[in-house]
Amino acid sequence: MRSPLRARFNPAELGNDLRVAFFLVFKAVTRGNKYTLVLTILVTTLAFINIIFTSSIMNGAISKAYQQAQENYVSNIVILPAVDDKYINQVQQLKTRINTLPGVVSCSSRYSQSGLIRYDPEKDNLDVREKAWNIKSIDPEEEIKVTNLQNYMIAGRYLEEGDRDQIIMGREISGGYGASFQISSLKGAQVGDQVTIAYGNGVKRDYKIKGIYNTYFPLADLNVFVTEKEMESVLGLHNRASEVLIKTDGSVPERVYIDRLRMMGIEEEQLNVWMDFIGYISGLTQTFDIVKTIVTFIGLLVAGVTIFIVIFIATVNRRRQIGILKAIGMKERIIILSYIFQAVFYAFLGIIAGLVVIHAGLVPYFVRHPLPMPIGLVSLALVRQDMAIAILSMLLVSVVAGFIPSWMVTRQNIIKAIWG
Amino acid sequence: MIIEAKALKKTFGGAVPVEALKDVDLQINRGEFVGIMGPSGSGKSTLLHMLALLDDPTAGKIIVDGTDIATLSSMQKTGFRLNKLGYVFQEYALLPELNALENVYLPLMMLGAPAREYRRAAMEMMETVGLGKRAKHLISQMSGGEQQRVAIARALVNNSKILFADEPCANLDTKNSAIVMNLLRNLCDERKQTIIMVTHEPEHMQFADRIIWIKDGMIEKEEKAG
C-alpha cells in the first residue's frame, strides 16, 4: 500500500499541505489544553534526560579510565625494548632526541624488575606478608613531567632524586586506605613501615615506605617505585631502561607520533600506545559502550512510546473530527503531517528543556559532586556526537510515533470515523 | 441535472447482511433544494452518504456534475469533495481550536488560496450567514445555531456546487432551526445553490422544492414542496 504522504509529489501542493498542517498544529498547541501540553513536554524532557544522563555517565566513566591511564599509568606512548633485547640502550640520548619531536611534552624512563616484597609488621616472623611484584624505577624529577602520581599521595611523600632506601607504593599494594584488592596486598602496610625486596637477580634490600598514593585507578595503584639510581645499583646498569613513557600534547592522534618515532629509527614493534596497556579496562569500556547503546535504545523506545501514546489518544479522541476533516476534503497526508508536526514539536521542546536541565543543572552538580567509581571520581561527559545522535534519534522516533497512530486513524472509512 | 443516480444499491455486510438501499434511481437539478425524508433506518442518510461521496455504493452508478464517481480514485474523490461539495452535519463538526473565521477559511486554505484572499472570502461568507461580528469568536463561545451557521459558511466558502446537509437542525431549538432553515432557503433562492438535506422534521418540508420519501431502502414517493 502506498503511503498517503507519497500519494502524489507536487512541490507546490506539498508546500501548501505543509502550510495547512502547520496551521492546524499551531492552533492545536496554542489553543489546546495547556496541562496536557506541559505534561507531555515534561515526559519527553525526562525521557531525553534519561538517554543523555545514562550515556554521559558511561562516557564519563570511559573517559575517566582513559584519562587515568594516560595521566597516572603509562602516559600516551610507551617504547619497549626490541624483541631480542631486555633493555633499551642509550636511553639518555634517546630521550633527548624524543624531547625534540614536535608535540612531545616530555618523556621518562623506567626500569622494571620482578621482586618479592616481604612485610613483617611486628618483625617477629609470625605474621609475614609476602607478595611477588614488578618493582619499577622512576627519576622523580623526570616522572612528574609525564605522570601525575605526585599529586595523589594519600600518606607520606613522593620520592626525591637522592632517595636510595625508600619506596613509594600504590594503595592496592599497601592494602590499607580502603584498598579494593586487600587480600592480594601487603594487608595494611603504612608509611614508615619497613619492607624487604628480594629482586629477581638475587639482590635483597630493605626499604622504608616513604609514601602511598591513590589515583583510584587500580592499574596505576598496583605499582611499587624506587628511584632510578637505586634500581641501577640493584641491576648494575646505567643509561638503559625497561620502558620509556612519552607524554604528548594530544594535538594530533597518537599514530602520528608513532610514525615520527619510527622515522627516528625505533622499530614499530617497540612502539605502543596507552590503549595497549589497559587490558581489562579496555574490555570494560567496550562493555560500557554496549550498555550505553542498549540504554539509549530503551530510552528512545520509552520516549517513542510516550509520544505514540499521546498522539494515539489524541487521534482516537478526535477520530470523529478526523472523519469530518476528510469529509470536507482534507487530504490524509495533511492530517498525518499535522500529527507528525505535533509529535516533533513535543520532542523538540522536550529536547530543549532537557538540554537546559542537563547543562544548567546536572553537569554543574556532577562537577561539584562526582560519583566515586572504581576507576576514579566520575562526572558527566557530554559527547557531542552522542548528543547529536540522541537528538536526531528522538526527533526520528517522534516522527514515527506521530505517523503510526494518525495513519491508522486516517485509514478508517469516513462514515465509520464520524458515526462509529 | 447535477446529480444522477441509477440502480443504486448499498448492502452492509455482517452476520446478517442489511440491504440499506435497493435499486434507487434519482435525479437532482441544479439550484434545486431537495429534502430527503423517511423514518429512522429507512436509508435516507445512507443515500446522502453515497451522493456526497462519503461512502461507496455496492452497485449502481452516480454521476455528479457530469463526473462518474466510479472513475475517481480515493485521492480524486477527496479533491472532488473539496472543490465541488459542501457538508453540514447535525453536530456542527467544527474544529474547537479554530475560531469561527478560521473554520470557514480552512477549505480555501486547503485549496492553496493566498491568505488575503481566503480571509476576505471567509469574512464575506460570515456576513452572508449573519455572523460577521462573531468571526473572531472561538467555537466554544457560540450557540448551537451560530455554530451550525458557521458550518454552513464553511460548506459554501469554496463555492461548492452542492450543499449536503444531514439533519442540520437535529440539535437546535425551534428558534435556531428556523434561522438555519431560512438561511438554507435564501442560499437556494439568491445563489441558486443546490441543496440536498436529510431531515425527519415535517415542518422543514416547506423550505424544500421537492421531497423524496424513502422507506425500506427504496424511494416511496416524490412530491413538490414549498
Side-chain angles (χ1 to χ4, degrees):
Chain A
M1 178 180 280
R2 290 174 72 191
S3 162
L5 292 177
R6 298 186 57 200
R8 189 172 46 177
F9 185 72
N10 174 334
E13 201 180 320
L14 182 62
N16 190 60
D17 291 352
L18 288 169
R19 179 179 71 146
V20 177
F22 185 78
F23 169 76
L24 291 174
V25 174
F26 180 74
K27 296 296 177 184
V29 169
T30 53
R31 291 185 187 149
N33 188 314
K34 296 288 181 290
Y35 294 108
T36 309
L37 176 69
V38 169
L39 203 64
T40 308
I41 292 167
L42 181 69
V43 173
T44 50
T45 301
L46 292 175
F48 180 71
I49 290 172
N50 179 43
I51 296 168
I52 297 298
F53 178 77
T54 315
S55 70
S56 297
I57 283 288
M58 301 278 185
N59 284 333
I62 293 168
S63 91
K64 186 57 153 185
Y66 290 173
Q67 181 195 348
Q68 289 272 41
Q70 292 169 73
E71 291 184 357
N72 301 319
Y73 187 42
V74 289
S75 202
N76 300 100
I77 293 166
V78 181
I79 303 174
L80 296 175
V83 178
D84 298 329
D85 296 336
K86 196 173 176 189
Y87 297 104
I88 301 164
N89 298 318
Q90 304 290 315
V91 79
Q92 293 303 335
Q93 294 85 333
L94 177 66
K95 285 192 284 185
T96 305
R97 287 169 65 205
I98 289 171
N99 279 327
T100 63
L101 282 178
V104 168
V105 175
S106 193
C107 61
S108 73
S109 56
R110 291 174 172 183
Y111 285 103
S112 179
Q113 174 67 40
S114 62
L116 183 69
I117 308 171
R118 186 176 192 274
Y119 173 51
D120 182 3
E122 301 300 326
K123 296 184 173 58
D124 55 6
N125 287 323
L126 292 175
D127 181 21
V128 177
R129 300 156 199 183
E130 286 184 322
K131 197 76 210 157
W133 218 265
N134 258 350
I135 317 300
K136 294 193 173 188
S137 72
I138 51 172
D139 175 337
E141 293 301 315
E142 199 177 66
E143 186 70 18
I144 58 174
K145 294 175 190 165
V146 176
T147 62
N148 286 340
L149 294 179
Q150 81 282 359
N151 296 327
Y152 290 96
M153 304 306 297
I154 50 171
R157 287 179 294 118
Y158 186 61
L159 286 174
E160 288 168 63
E161 197 82 23
D163 289 338
R164 295 294 298 268
D165 56 354
Q166 300 193 92
I167 60 169
I168 61 169
M169 60 178 63
R171 179 180 71 161
E172 300 302 339
I173 296 286
S174 81
Y177 307 96
S180 313
F181 307 117
Q182 208 179 4
I183 286 209
S184 58
S185 69
L186 299 177
K187 297 175 188 166
Q190 294 179 16
V191 168
D193 287 350
Q194 203 79 26
V195 294
T196 304
I197 298 178
Y199 289 97
N201 63 355
V203 176
K204 188 185 274 191
R205 289 199 180 165
D206 293 331
Y207 297 100
K208 194 169 90 175
I209 300 174
K210 186 178 183 183
I212 294 171
Y213 64 87
N214 174 29
T215 65
Y216 290 98
F217 189 59
L219 292 175
D221 295 342
L222 282 166
N223 273 332
V224 178
F225 292 105
V226 296
T227 60
E228 187 178 74
K229 283 195 172 68
E230 168 62 11
M231 187 64 96
E232 285 189 334
S233 82
V234 169
L235 299 175
L237 298 171
H238 179 64
N239 200 18
R240 294 186 183 186
S242 304
E243 59 192 31
V244 173
L245 275 53
I246 303 169
K247 185 182 175 77
T248 65
D249 61 9
S251 55
V252 288
E254 267 109 16
R255 188 68 239 171
V256 176
Y257 298 109
I258 297 274
D259 290 341
R260 287 173 187 167
L261 290 163
R262 254 187 330 108
M263 286 167 73
M264 279 176 54
I266 302 169
E267 291 173 32
E268 176 85 38
E269 292 74 26
Q270 291 180 262
L271 296 163
N272 303 273
V273 293
W274 59 272
M275 191 67 113
D276 301 333
F277 293 87
I278 58 173
Y280 77 94
I281 299 284
S282 176
L284 199 65
T285 59
Q286 284 168 15
T287 307
F288 272 17
D289 270 337
I290 294 167
V291 172
K292 195 175 75 175
T293 307
I294 293 169
V295 168
T296 303
F297 178 74
I298 293 170
L300 281 170
L301 210 61
V302 170
V305 168
T306 305
I307 297 172
F308 179 93
I309 291 169
V310 169
I311 299 295
F312 183 74
I313 292 170
T315 52
V316 167
N317 285 341
R318 293 177 180 213
R319 198 178 63 171
R320 187 169 179 275
Q321 204 176 72
I322 289 170
I324 288 159
L325 288 172
K326 283 176 71 179
I328 66 168
M330 186 170 279
K331 282 178 252 175
E332 286 180 16
R333 77 174 174 200
I334 295 181
I335 298 165
I336 292 171
L337 280 171
S338 74
Y339 282 103
I340 290 175
F341 283 171
Q342 205 170 331
V344 171
F345 174 76
Y346 292 143
F348 180 74
L349 284 194
I351 289 166
I352 297 293
L355 287 174
V356 169
V357 172
I358 289 163
H359 284 285
L362 292 177
V363 170
Y365 177 83
F366 279 97
V367 166
R368 281 196 298 272
H369 307 95
L371 293 171
M373 286 194 180
I375 46 164
L377 296 172
V378 173
S379 56
L380 298 186
L382 301 176
V383 177
R384 199 172 291 177
Q385 190 187 336
D386 284 359
M387 299 272 282
I389 289 171
I391 290 170
L392 288 176
S393 306
M394 184 111 168
L395 291 174
L396 191 68
V397 161
S398 69
V399 168
V400 176
F403 173 77
I404 295 172
S406 55
W407 178 69
M408 283 160 60
V409 173
T410 53
R411 277 176 68 203
Q412 278 194 335
N413 176 283
I414 294 176
I415 303 297
K416 269 193 180 170
I418 297 176
W419 286 281
Chain B
M1 194 185 310
I2 195 161
I3 295 181
E4 186 178 12
K6 286 179 187 168
L8 211 54
K9 279 186 186 177
K10 180 67 181 179
T11 305
F12 292 107
V16 183
V18 177
E19 271 193 294
L21 290 178
K22 303 166 190 168
D23 284 326
V24 171
D25 291 323
L26 179 71
Q27 291 180 341
I28 292 168
N29 297 316
R30 283 181 199 277
E32 197 178 12
F33 188 162
V34 175
I36 301 174
M37 296 196 71
S40 291
S42 58
K44 56 186 189 297
S45 285
T46 304
L47 175 62
L48 188 88
H49 297 157
M50 302 295 122
L51 301 178
L53 278 67
L54 297 181
D55 205 356
D56 297 321
T58 309
K61 195 172 202 176
I62 303 172
I63 295 167
V64 180
D65 197 28
T67 303
D68 183 352
I69 299 310
T71 63
L72 300 179
S73 67
S74 173
M75 276 285 282
Q76 286 169 325
K77 280 182 190 168
T78 302
F80 195 90
R81 285 197 296 270
L82 178 62
N83 283 287
K84 300 198 172 183
L85 311 179
Y87 300 87
V88 178
F89 300 91
Q90 56 177 281
E91 285 166 5
Y92 328 132
L94 299 166
L95 300 185
E97 295 93 3
L98 306 186
N99 65 30
L101 187 71
E102 289 162 349
N103 265 288
V104 174
Y105 68 56
L106 189 59
L108 292 177
M109 203 179 182
M110 291 192 285
L111 282 168
R116 183 176 292 186
E117 192 181 309
Y118 64 63
R119 282 177 192 280
R120 184 193 50 75
M123 199 61 214
E124 272 178 27
M125 196 47 71
M126 287 294 287
E127 298 285 355
T128 305
V129 298
L131 290 173
K133 289 180 180 165
R134 305 277 281 157
K136 294 291 173 70
H137 284 74
L138 285 174
I139 299 307
S140 57
Q141 297 165 330
M142 305 181 100
S143 70
E146 287 174 328
Q147 289 187 41
Q148 198 59 296
R149 281 145 72 194
V150 172
I152 292 169
R154 181 182 67 183
L156 298 176
V157 75
N158 55 348
N159 291 318
S160 52
K161 302 210 168 174
I162 310 163
L163 174 64
F164 292 94
D166 189 1
E167 305 204 33
C169 303
N171 295 323
L172 300 181
D173 57 22
T174 314
K175 186 183 160 198
N176 277 304
S177 287
I179 293 171
V180 169
M181 289 312 299
N182 278 313
L183 175 63
L184 292 176
R185 184 65 250 176
N186 288 341
L187 289 168
C188 185
D189 292 338
E190 292 165 15
R191 293 165 55 118
K192 303 296 174 206
Q193 180 70 49
T194 307
I195 299 174
I196 302 169
M197 178 183 72
V198 164
T199 179
H200 61 268
E201 304 286 344
E203 58 268 32
H204 293 163
M205 284 169 61
Q206 57 176 312
F207 294 94
D209 300 320
R210 179 163 56 119
I211 301 293
I212 297 171
W213 291 88
I214 302 278
K215 191 178 178 188
D216 296 331
M218 292 184 290
I219 293 178
E220 187 186 33
K221 61 178 177 179
E222 290 187 41
E223 59 188 21
K224 290 273 181 191

